[in-house]
Amino acid sequence: MDYNFLKKKRILLVDDEQELLNMVVSILKEDGYENIATAKSVKEALKVASETNPELAILDIMLPDSDGFSLMEQLKQTKDYPILFLTARGEDEDKFKGFGLGADDYIVKPFLPKELTLRIGAILRRSYKNENPLVKLHASEIDFDRAEVIKNGEHIALTAKEYDLLLALYLNTGKIVTIDALCEAAWGDNPFGYENSLMAHIRRIREKIEENPSKPTSLITIRGLGYKLNVEGK
């Protein structure tokens, strides 16, 4: 499965050492992570979290106005998302406390950059494995979570029928989906007589996803059989 969508996850990084913050941000950006917010205290972290809605938090234990354990409990009161402790305190008691509170992992400083990125990747894959990532086509992307197409920076809503048809095609990426199967996906158990409606919907879908709808590269007609969706990277 393509996990590149995980690199877009919003990360909150909390540590009171600016040098450490700079280093970790640099490591994460070099590995492809795009959305990183930082804070240097519990108070600031709670404010930043309310503004950025993080999907992973990386916390130090020793903070100037409290500790990472308290911060973790406060963060999880609003939303339950994975927590990684990154700290100089390597005592077993601290590790047990962190895991007991629900932390997903615990790394002791100093650490290797590769260890950090591998552990973050593993946490995100476990936590968000059931998400629908953006489906990349030649000239656009499909966001099934929001039922929309993103093309040239524009967000274009899908109708319910368009969504059903695209989902059926996506679940059979690279394979021919017959006209009957597509009609059934959109109109239910009695799909007969909808061929003309299907063609009209396919035409509108192409207008939304293709660079040139009259010369489609993503949604291909297989004459006499049906249609096929080509997805980038598959």
Side-chain angles (χ1 to χ4, degrees), residues 41-187:
S41 67
V42 169
K43 182 179 179 180
E44 184 183 5
L46 293 172
K47 180 175 183 295
V48 173
S50 69
E51 295 169 349
T52 62
N53 191 23
E55 295 162 286
L56 167 69
I58 303 173
L59 311 179
D60 189 11
I61 291 178
M62 301 171 66
L63 295 169
D65 52 348
S66 186
D67 60 57
F69 300 131
S70 171
L71 173 56
M72 175 182 170
E73 290 181 305
Q74 292 179 73
L75 290 173
K76 282 184 172 285
Q77 286 175 5
T78 304
K79 180 182 176 183
D80 189 17
Y81 48 84
I83 304 287
L84 166 65
F85 280 111
L86 182 62
T87 178
R89 289 174 56 167
E91 293 86 353
D92 288 342
E93 184 177 339
D94 286 329
K95 291 183 181 180
F96 295 151
K97 183 173 182 179
F99 286 125
L101 290 171
D104 293 81
D105 209 341
Y106 195 112
I107 300 179
V108 178
K109 304 172 188 174
F111 57 89
L112 295 173
K114 191 64 176 177
E115 178 188 11
L116 177 62
T117 57
L118 286 174
R119 299 247 195 138
I120 289 173
I123 291 171
L124 291 174
R125 285 193 298 274
R126 287 197 306 269
S127 302
Y128 299 103
K129 61 184 177 182
N130 293 323
E131 280 196 358
N132 270 330
L134 291 177
V135 176
K136 295 184 182 297
L137 306 179
H138 177 71
S140 61
E141 296 176 318
I142 307 169
D143 187 338
F144 283 109
D145 282 346
R146 293 179 171 82
E148 64 184 21
V149 170
I150 305 166
K151 185 168 71 172
N152 299 325
E154 182 183 0
H155 292 247
I156 308 165
L158 293 167
T159 67
K161 290 287 189 289
E162 291 167 353
Y163 180 96
D164 290 339
L165 291 169
L166 274 173
L167 183 59
L169 288 159
Y170 172 62
L171 293 175
N172 295 277
T173 295
K175 300 177 182 178
I176 299 170
V177 184
T178 66
I179 291 171
D180 286 348
L182 286 171
C183 288
E184 186 173 345
W187 288 281

Side-chain angles (χ1 to χ4, degrees), residues 193-211:
Y194 287 101
E195 289 85 353
N196 289 336
S197 293
L198 173 64
M199 290 174 62
H201 281 84
I202 293 292
R203 184 169 62 252
R204 285 193 289 271
I205 289 172
R206 282 177 171 154
E207 290 171 355
K208 294 181 178 183
I209 69 172
E210 300 283 2
E211 186 174 5

